[in-house]
Amino acid sequence: MAAASPPAEAAVEEESLLSQPLLQQHEEQHHTLRRSASNTTSQLAIVGSNLCAIESLDYEIMENALFKQDWRNNRKIQIFQYIFMKWTFCFLIGLLVSLVGFFNNLAVENIAGLKFVVTSDMMLARRFVAAFAIFSSSNFALTLFASLITAFIAPECAGSGIPEVKAYLNGVDAPAIFSLRTLLVKIIGSISAVSSSLNVGKAGPMVHTGACIAAILGQGGSKKYGLTWKWLRFFKNDRDRRDLVTCGSAAGIAAAFRAPVGGVLFALEEMASWWRSALLWRAFFTAAIVAIVLRALIDVCLSGKCGLFGKGGLIMYDVTSADIPYHLWDVPPVILLGVVGGILGSLYNSLLEKVLRIYNLINEKGTFFKIILACCISICTSCLLFGLPWIASCRPCPLDPSEPCPTIGRSGNYKKFQCAPGHYNDLASLFFNTNDDAIKNLFSKNTDAEFQHSSMLIFFVTCFFLSIFSYGIVAPTGLFVPVIVTGASYGRLVGMLVGSRSTLNHGLFAVLGSASLLGGSMRMTVSLCVIILELTNNLLLLPLIMLVLLISKTVADAFNGNIYDLIMRSKGFPYLEAHAEPYMRQLTVGDVVTGPLQLFQGIEKVANIVHVLKTTGHNGFPVVDVPPFSEAPVLMILQRRVWEMETGLKI
């Protein structure tokens, strides 16, 4: 048989790379990777944008003799102190996450607002080239800054962080995902990335930020920074830290959307693998603190003391009147919305997974290529956001607009852009805004005649692909808000096509479209339903949102999994499901053990134990007690941390 030609071989090799998981590509291209000395026997996974060794966590309490004796010696005041500190930490998590969330929105609204104001002034003076130069260069600088600090200071911050936090709550520990350095870069990088007009969100980074704050508070002190108070020793275990991280992830969603109940349900439905009633109370308390603090801070901003901030970001979207009339004949379009949303959501997940594989091939070439990729995405985004509104025709302002028309400043439903006085550009009203203001424009009521069919179609297609290509860059980026924007444009387009055949206004269709695409992509139901209700502040939407979410999730489940599970699996994080697959019942320990097994006898020399602990990186070792030391062979487990605690030796 003739040998294949070099181009054919290259094509086959590229095809195989694009069909492999990200972790497998890393391992094949980095088989000479030097693992850290402390984790020579660990599994590898992609954390953020770097390949790292990961370890398993032990969330079970080791009730050995030392543990029982320690608790017997505790007085009531010490037990009360332990419980009191748990609630105090929850309060501090809620307070700090709400302050960070408010600061994020304040910074984004003012940075992006200043950029849009200066660009609009140039447009008003008919200096279009200068306007594009300012717009694109500011976006480029912000993206470059976010990618530089992420690539060189904390590569763990790349992406949303939700897959990493979810894996941690399932029992997988990755290095530096909750460090102080990661926290600072996540906050600053997220502000820069969202302000740069990239089609990325803030909700995912806020979940990671909340988890970082909780983990830092609950890590039991730090010898490096001199924080070794005696009362922090109660929290030197994985279980308490896991509970605090769960509360932090709930607080992150609560701060991103001002949805406290939705945040708790998000942590329960999507993030946490272990849940109990005591944790529910603490998570609810944490989210309540977030809601109270944000409400107080927003009241200050509504008085005009926060610069350009005040009409977007954390403000709830006003979408409908108090009374929403809908009838039986409105249900078929809503069902269609859910079915198509499920198909689009599964397509979105599939395309995003493939794009991440392509990006991984680029990122493998080095840090320089990661930054170049981010900058190229920024340039393409700026060209699309500034260039596409020129396609749309200018429309005359309505006779009785609900706000000034045209809008020359930063926010508003009627952007002037290049139009003559008394006219507005409907496509610029969506593109030339932050994502929050675009959502508000799409959700707004009494605006059925504001947008053209062609403009809505262009906006939907552009957002759909920009959100896919923007996610994998080396910067803190989220998926929640881009999916909401894309779904809202899709829903509003369906509402425009249905027209007068439905009594639902186009703003309601936009809300339902967001719900359908969220359900199709993220596969959550209860938490998404509550988050959308808290965003729109209208309980009358509940039946329609429930129907759309159920249909879209059911349809999408027939094609692939939810987006966070796909990303987590591609990165190589081992995720332990609640129920084992049927074939696992036939597996033995020997089927899953790799490498030379380090085995201890029931009676072992200390020197042997120390040698094994020094030469391995994992934490659990089988201990076999055989006759004559026991009546029958007994298998036990020696854990590194338990041995260090009992002996006082740190290996």
Side-chain angles (χ1 to χ4, degrees), residues 311-330:
K311 292 193 174 180
L314 292 165
I315 303 301
M316 289 186 180
Y317 305 118
D318 181 21
V319 297
T320 60
S321 58
D323 186 22
I324 307 174
Y326 52 87
H327 306 282
L328 186 61
W329 55 82
D330 294 318

Side-chain angles (χ1 to χ4, degrees), residues 537-549:
N537 200 22
N538 201 317
L539 193 60
L540 297 176
L541 289 171
L542 179 61
L544 295 179
I545 293 176
M546 290 175 65
L547 179 63
V548 163
L549 284 171

Side-chain angles (χ1 to χ4, degrees), residues 250-379:
I253 287 292
F257 295 119
R258 257 184 68 200
V261 179
V264 175
L265 293 175
F266 175 82
L268 168 62
E269 184 176 5
E270 178 63 19
M271 302 299 293
S273 300
W274 312 90
W275 198 267
R276 58 188 195 280
S277 58
L279 180 57
L280 176 64
W281 277 103
R282 284 195 290 273
F284 185 78
F285 173 71
T286 307
I289 297 299
V290 173
I292 294 170
V293 174
L294 286 180
R295 180 69 264 176
L297 293 173
I298 289 173
D299 285 341
V300 175
C301 280
L302 290 177
S303 62
K305 298 178 181 178
C306 296
L308 296 167
F309 176 75
K311 292 193 174 180
L314 292 165
I315 303 301
M316 289 186 180
Y317 305 118
D318 181 21
V319 297
T320 60
S321 58
D323 186 22
I324 307 174
Y326 52 87
H327 306 282
L328 186 61
W329 55 82
D330 294 318
V331 174
V334 172
I335 294 176
L336 176 65
L337 202 67
V339 172
V340 178
I343 296 173
L344 288 174
S346 61
L347 176 63
Y348 184 92
N349 292 1
S350 179
L351 291 176
L352 181 60
E353 190 178 18
K354 288 179 170 56
V355 167
L356 289 178
R357 289 198 182 103
I358 296 173
Y359 281 4
N360 183 64
L361 297 177
I362 299 173
N363 293 339
E364 282 297 314
K365 300 181 184 296
T367 304
F368 175 76
F369 289 90
K370 295 179 183 179
I371 296 172
I372 290 296
L373 175 62
C375 293
C376 290
I377 296 296
S378 174
I379 293 171

Side-chain angles (χ1 to χ4, degrees), residues 3-80:
S5 62
E9 291 178 353
V12 171
E13 182 179 355
E14 183 177 357
E15 179 78 21
S16 65
L17 283 174
L18 294 180
S19 62
Q20 292 175 355
L22 302 183
L23 180 64
Q24 187 176 343
Q25 294 177 27
H26 268 286
E27 288 178 335
E28 289 183 357
Q29 298 176 24
H30 287 272
H31 29 233
T32 59
L33 176 74
R34 183 180 65 85
R35 300 183 187 180
S36 64
S38 61
N39 277 304
T40 55
T41 55
S42 296
Q43 184 172 334
L44 296 176
I46 303 173
V47 182
S49 62
N50 272 12
L51 187 64
C52 303
I54 59 174
E55 264 296 346
S56 62
L57 295 163
D58 184 18
Y59 290 144
E60 296 298 323
I61 295 178
M62 298 299 296
E63 296 189 7
N64 52 23
L66 182 64
F67 175 84
K68 294 177 181 178
Q69 183 63 33
D70 183 58
W71 272 99
R72 287 193 198 101
N73 294 336
N74 286 337
R75 294 172 296 175
K76 289 184 178 180
I77 186 64
Q78 292 174 310
I79 297 175
F80 173 79

Side-chain angles (χ1 to χ4, degrees), residues 629-649:
F629 304 109
S630 63
E631 296 180 358
V634 178
L635 175 65
M636 297 173 288
I637 298 295
L638 171 66
Q639 289 213 329
R640 179 189 299 269
R641 281 164 291 183
V642 175
W643 190 83
E644 290 175 348
M645 185 171 62
E646 291 184 345
T647 61
L649 299 176

